[in-house]
Amino acid sequence: MELGLIGLGKMGGNMARRLLKGGHQVVGYNRSPEITKQLASEAGLTPTFSIPELVNTLNKPKAVWVMVPAGDPTDAVVDQLATLLDPGDIVIDGGNSFYKDDIRRAPVLAAKGLHYVDTGTSGGIWGLTEGYSMMIGGDEAVVERLRPIYETLAPGPNEGWGRVGPVGAGHFVKMVHNGIEYGMMQAFAEGFEIMHTKHELNLNVEQIAHIWQTGSVVRSWLLDLIANALSADSNLDHIEGWVADSGEGRWTVFEAIDLDVPAPVITLSLQQRFISRQAESYAAKLLAAMRNQFGGHAVKTK
């Protein structure tokens, strides 16, 4: 099957490589011409250097996968595609869009006879070799048309992907997936810090990670990644404890509030990421000042 792919960054580029290796034709465009040329040379991508050129190069019916940052960049690309594609063509958003953006975009495209499919995609840099987990929202018949693409990108033809509901459902499920991921990562991080700090037992946290990889109820891909990281540097001296969040965790917490669903673990794990970015905590300083005021407790000063 032929697919247009807009956005050839780390994840988009690896998706293109996996599709090309699987026998699909991929027509690609990236803002950086050098990346497009590199993929053309290395993997056999059909290079284009503008979105109109990409659309004109594709055979009908056309399917274009958008893999650019969520928000305004995705809106701009989808809006442009709406002026270039023909009725019956498909736009797929495989980035990390907010699901309400999908619900807003779909009827605008439908008015022009275009189909819109949102695909929450997980797998990161490992997707090239391991395959991607894909949660898909859209019309059943349209998703079925794209089956050859999903079967190739997934870990297996019948595993790791599926239509989960109408437009918006794919990114909604991916949003919750990432919220769960936040909580799991935080629990692992806290547990390993407890062990790392128990100096009198001289625990080898790398060894423990490897022990847990087999037979343990906490064995997981995240644990495998922890073992990899600790093998390189068990004290993590080369890493600063600054943790970003890409948005999905926040959206998950907002949805939990809107739905009156308690989500304390996910919420606290998001807050911990905010704490990691503070060089100094004003709140902690104020806590120390209050203890000093009411109890005369000592404070550390600079």
Side-chain angles (χ1 to χ4, degrees):
M1 183 175 178
E2 184 181 59
L3 180 72
L5 183 54
I6 298 174
L8 303 172
K10 287 183 180 179
M11 195 162 179
N14 281 342
M15 292 174 71
R17 291 183 178 92
R18 189 171 176 91
L19 287 168
L20 289 162
K21 188 176 180 180
H24 298 278
Q25 293 179 292
V26 180
V27 178
Y29 163 72
N30 195 73
R31 284 193 309 170
S32 171
E34 291 74 22
I35 293 176
T36 306
K37 293 174 183 177
Q38 182 181 353
L39 273 169
S41 174
E42 290 180 0
L45 176 93
T46 301
T48 60
F49 301 97
S50 71
I51 293 177
E53 182 185 0
L54 177 140
V55 171
N56 290 334
T57 302
L58 290 168
N59 296 314
K60 296 182 179 182
K62 302 173 182 180
V64 181
W65 188 301
V66 180
M67 204 69 180
V68 301
D72 291 342
T74 297
D75 275 338
V77 171
V78 172
D79 289 346
Q80 187 174 6
L81 287 172
T83 69
L84 298 169
L85 294 171
D86 298 318
D89 292 342
I90 305 171
V91 175
I92 309 146
D93 178 9
N96 282 326
S97 288
F98 186 40
Y99 79 98
K100 290 184 180 179
D101 289 340
D102 300 314
I103 294 171
R104 169 177 53 81
R105 293 179 191 132
V108 176
L109 296 184
K112 299 186 177 187
L114 303 174
H115 303 292
Y116 184 89
V117 175
D118 60 292
T119 302
T121 308
S122 180
I125 59 174
W126 295 88
L128 175 60
T129 55
E130 303 295 325
Y132 298 91
S133 173
M134 293 168 291
M135 299 133 268
I136 306 159
D139 181 85
E140 289 186 55
V142 177
V143 173
E144 188 62 28
R145 280 173 55 186
L146 298 169
R147 173 177 286 274
I149 296 295
Y150 291 125
E151 288 183 336
T152 301
L153 289 174
N158 297 307
E159 59 185 22
W161 74 277
R163 177 186 178 272
V164 295
V167 167
H171 281 139
F172 183 88
V173 173
K174 176 59 163 49
M175 174 190 75
V176 176
H177 164 282
N178 281 30
I180 293 170
E181 177 187 293
Y182 279 34
M184 293 174 65
M185 291 172 70
Q186 185 64 33
F188 271 124
E190 292 174 7
F192 274 87
E193 182 170 23
I194 293 168
M195 293 186 290
H196 184 264
T197 308
K198 190 67 172 176
H199 301 300
E200 62 266 35
L201 294 183
N202 195 29
L203 299 174
N204 183 330
V205 289
E206 178 193 347
Q207 177 200 24
I208 293 165
H210 288 300
I211 290 171
W212 287 356
Q213 282 181 288
T214 306
S216 166
V217 295
V218 299
R219 65 187 184 273
S220 64
W221 187 51
L222 283 175
L223 181 60
D224 294 340
L225 298 179
I226 290 170
N228 289 346
L230 295 178
S231 295
D233 177 5
S234 63
N235 288 322
L236 303 177
D237 292 326
H238 68 296
I239 296 176
E240 184 179 350
W242 192 101
V243 187
D245 72 285
S246 56
E248 294 92 343
R250 299 185 189 209
W251 299 337
T252 305
V253 171
F254 297 158
E255 285 295 322
I257 293 169
D258 287 344
L259 296 169
D260 294 331
V261 174
V265 173
I266 294 174
T267 302
L268 186 55
S269 68
L270 174 65
Q271 295 293 328
Q272 286 296 112
R273 295 196 177 198
F274 298 158
I275 292 171
S276 78
R277 300 171 209 169
Q278 292 184 308
E280 286 191 315
S281 170
Y282 182 84
K285 290 181 181 181
L286 192 57
L287 284 171
M290 283 188 283
R291 292 183 77 246
N292 176 258
Q293 289 289 322
F294 69 68
H297 301 287
V299 295
K300 291 184 177 182
T301 58
K302 294 184 179 178

